[in-house]
Amino acid sequence: MMWVSRRTALLGGLGALFAVGARAQASGQTSGQGADHWYDLKDRDGAPLPNMRLPVELTSEIERLPGMFWMGAAQPDVTIIEVYDYNCPWCHATARDLHALMADADDVRVGFMNNPILSPASAQAAKVEMALLRTMGPQVAYDFYRAMFSRKGRADGAAALAAARVVMDGRRSETTEGKKNGATFANVQRAADDEKTVQALQAQMKLAASLGMSATPSFITGGVGIQGYPGPKTLGRIIAAMRDCEEPVCKG
């Protein structure tokens, strides 16, 4: 599709994407009602945190999922995946928690999976993230993720493109690697709107739906799906338990 302006940008394929998101939400709500609580997990307010065992044939697809990026340890003891939407209010706090967690722990790897089920505008932002990943790599995609969750207001294509420009300029000025990267802002715009990006986002949303991830943020670790914002203390306890017994909660 031809790029016309920042307001009309990133609209290509969004009808199909949001249709996947609608199915994800409906499927996840059904799964969540039956799954309830496999482990005794509480959120930051002490309320039960919904969680469920996930089929290994589905969780095994995550490592091969296109458009995801990974941060943290290269040889981790613990891997956790966040499932998020750029218009999710609680995802702002989660972004801070995960960044602090990776700063304090050198054995944790975090995977980032988009599931823009809240609005088509969320899908626009997700597509910009994936374009940055393709053109400039995971560190820039992560810088964008942090920038988007540090800002206030609605996340849409225009906001995402503005954040991308700032992140790209900062990365080029700060690092030798960034200076060597020949990607331009126009490259990112084109990549955000091409079929490869649309298909990658559809794949992430489809898998999130199959896994019953109906809330954002959600998390996947140790073959368990955890729905909702746990807060930093519960998240830390989950990571500690994964280290000790390879489960989100150690028994006994």
Side-chain angles (χ1 to χ4, degrees), residues 100-222:
L101 178 69
M102 286 188 286
D104 292 339
D106 59 4
D107 64 342
V108 176
R109 180 178 69 149
V110 180
F112 297 85
M113 181 193 297
N114 279 283
N115 190 26
I117 55 177
L118 298 180
S119 76
S122 303
Q124 294 176 352
K127 288 168 69 178
V128 174
E129 176 205 291
M130 290 185 173
L132 286 169
L133 177 64
R134 286 173 55 192
T135 57
M136 296 193 73
Q139 182 61 60
V140 177
Y142 181 61
D143 291 346
F144 170 84
Y145 162 91
R146 292 192 65 208
M148 288 296 289
F149 283 125
S150 296
R151 62 181 296 279
K152 296 180 180 179
R154 183 171 179 260
D156 58 15
L161 289 171
R165 188 185 289 276
V166 171
V167 166
M168 290 176 70
D169 289 346
R171 179 57 50 175
R172 284 201 182 94
S173 65
E174 291 171 8
T175 68
T176 302
E177 180 183 355
K179 291 175 183 176
K180 290 179 180 178
N181 190 302
T184 66
F185 188 66
N187 294 148
V188 172
Q189 287 181 307
R190 284 191 292 269
D193 209 29
D194 69 18
E195 189 61 25
K196 186 174 181 179
T197 296
V198 172
Q199 290 176 353
L201 188 50
Q202 286 176 331
Q204 291 191 19
M205 296 177 73
K206 182 178 179 181
L207 184 57
S210 299
L211 292 169
M213 300 289 99
S214 62
T216 55
S218 291
F219 302 88
I220 301 167
T221 188

Side-chain angles (χ1 to χ4, degrees), residues 11-114:
L11 297 179
L14 285 183
L17 285 172
F18 201 56
V20 172
R23 289 197 297 275
Q25 203 166 17
S27 172
Q29 287 169 346
T30 301
S31 299
Q33 289 169 358
D36 289 333
H37 307 97
W38 187 272
Y39 289 97
D40 182 19
L41 288 169
K42 301 288 194 303
D43 67 15
R44 65 176 194 157
D45 298 318
L49 196 63
N51 61 91
M52 55 192 173
R53 279 285 185 191
L54 301 175
V56 66
E57 62 269 20
L58 292 178
T59 56
S60 63
E61 295 181 18
I62 294 173
E63 293 283 347
R64 303 188 300 271
L65 198 61
M68 278 189 63
F69 67 95
W70 302 83
M71 298 299 295
Q75 295 182 319
D77 292 326
V78 179
T79 295
I80 186 166
I81 294 97
E82 183 199 4
V83 184
Y84 56 95
D85 181 303
Y86 275 114
N87 279 299
C88 155
W90 289 112
C91 293
H92 291 259
T94 298
R96 293 193 297 270
D97 295 344
L98 289 175
H99 188 72
L101 178 69
M102 286 188 286
D104 292 339
D106 59 4
D107 64 342
V108 176
R109 180 178 69 149
V110 180
F112 297 85
M113 181 193 297
N114 279 283

